[in-house]
Amino acid sequence: MRKKIVAGNWKMNLTSVQSEDLVAGISEKLKNFDSNGKRIIVAPTFVNLVPVINCEDRDTAIEVAAQNMHQASSGAYTGEIAANMLQTIGVPNVILGHSERRAYFGETDTLLAEKVEVALEHNMQIIFCFGEELEDRKAGKHFDVVESQLKNALFQLPDSAWKDIVLAYEPVWAIGTGETASPEQAQEMHEFIRKTIALAYGNAIADEVSILYGGSVKPANAKEIFSKPDVDGGLIGGASLKADDFFAIIDAM
Ligand code: PEP
């Protein structure tokens, strides 16, 4: 049975104290909540990973993810962070391919294929983000774009790797814009993604992969989006920065 997941991408927000407060606030909300096997993940900035991991008030069921990592194991890459550095401080998950990394830091499918391999070599679980731009959708190319992002970055992987991959479909036009894909648009794309994986890897793997939707999910729209059969949860940006909103989204799943 594939897992339901709500992951919060805190991006370049919050000081360490604010990060601790936020994870403590979410933990407080989860006290009498039966998460029923759902995974809850938060992704603070690199410098706030340890404070969040060590926060005494963190419900240990809340997992932690890094927002990025470098593809090399070590070396002269000023300002970068390697997989084993994350691993050894107790970070088991990493977000790769976020559209902001692609747009502002030039991350390509080829680079992401490399990062994916390195993360897996270090036994990390990956939340792999992808999605089309507005022009692609307007031109009716959104399925082609998504298919090529998946094929270029992930379809070199052996079957065994897929247990460590979570997909996050995030149409770029919906990220941080307040504009959300309709539940029908999300379902249509998620179904397409699952079929694309089934064609390459078979139904068993496709059925097991969790596919999250990301793009302006908030308490008011989460339930409807999560009700779709191929939507297994969400990657949440803005609304993950407030404990009340993030909890409401978890509760909606
Ligand atoms: C994101 O950055 O992954 C995201 C989905 O952001 P927001 O929820 O703010 O659109």
Side-chain angles (χ1 to χ4, degrees):
M1 246 309 250
R2 59 182 183 256
K3 287 262 183 186
K4 300 271 185 199
I5 302 170
V6 174
N9 175 11
W10 294 356
K11 308 194 186 188
M12 196 176 72
N13 292 299
L14 310 177
T15 62
S16 65
V17 170
Q18 289 168 335
S19 301
E20 288 167 338
D21 285 350
L22 180 52
V23 82
I26 301 164
S27 302
E28 181 63 35
K29 298 254 161 211
L30 291 173
K31 264 189 183 145
N32 296 314
F33 179 75
D34 179 6
S35 65
N36 210 1
K38 297 169 193 165
R39 291 177 67 193
I40 299 161
I41 304 174
V42 296
T45 58
F46 286 130
V47 293
N48 292 331
L49 285 164
V50 168
V52 166
I53 290 167
N54 290 344
C55 176
E56 279 181 8
D57 297 323
R58 174 174 68 100
D59 177 334
T60 50
I62 302 177
E63 299 174 50
V64 172
Q67 297 173 15
N68 181 34
M69 52 159 252
H70 195 268
Q71 64 277 17
S73 315
S74 64
Y77 301 101
T78 303
E80 292 292 334
I81 306 280
N84 73 325
M85 297 172 186
L86 296 170
Q87 253 269 346
T88 51
I89 58 166
V91 178
N93 305 293
V94 62
I95 298 174
L96 293 176
H98 192 278
S99 67
E100 287 150 18
R101 299 294 317 169
R102 294 175 188 258
Y104 307 140
F105 302 96
E107 297 202 359
T108 60
D109 291 342
T110 312
L111 173 71
L112 291 168
E114 232 184 297
K115 290 192 177 196
V116 164
E117 297 230 358
V118 173
L120 293 172
E121 274 164 29
H122 287 85
N123 300 317
M124 298 193 72
Q125 300 227 332
I126 297 165
I127 300 175
F128 184 79
C129 305
F130 56 97
E132 82 283 358
E133 312 249 356
L134 186 57
E135 305 82 74
D136 302 322
R137 184 162 278 265
K138 280 188 177 157
K141 292 198 235 152
H142 43 299
F143 294 114
D144 292 345
V145 168
V146 160
E147 186 176 358
S148 76
Q149 288 172 326
L150 287 174
K151 286 190 170 162
N152 294 340
L154 299 181
F155 281 17
Q156 82 287 6
L157 295 173
D159 290 8
S160 58
W162 282 86
K163 64 179 189 334
D164 294 317
I165 307 271
V166 170
L167 298 176
Y169 166 61
E170 300 204 298
V172 178
W173 47 271
I175 297 179
T177 58
E179 191 175 340
T180 321
S182 67
E184 292 70 31
Q185 285 172 319
Q187 169 56 26
E188 184 185 37
M189 183 58 88
H190 284 222
E191 192 179 343
F192 171 78
I193 292 163
R194 212 176 290 287
K195 280 190 181 145
T196 305
I197 296 167
L199 281 175
Y201 287 95
N203 285 333
I205 287 180
D207 285 345
E208 280 301 303
V209 177
S210 298
I211 310 177
L212 314 185
Y213 168 78
S216 299
V217 176
K218 35 188 180 276
N221 59 22
K223 206 170 188 78
E224 220 191 328
I225 295 172
F226 295 163
S227 71
K228 295 296 177 191
D230 285 296
V231 178
D232 305 308
L235 179 56
I236 320 298
S240 71
L241 294 171
K242 288 197 182 128
D244 285 353
D245 288 353
F246 192 57
F247 176 72
I249 292 170
I250 294 167
D251 195 26
M253 189 170 53

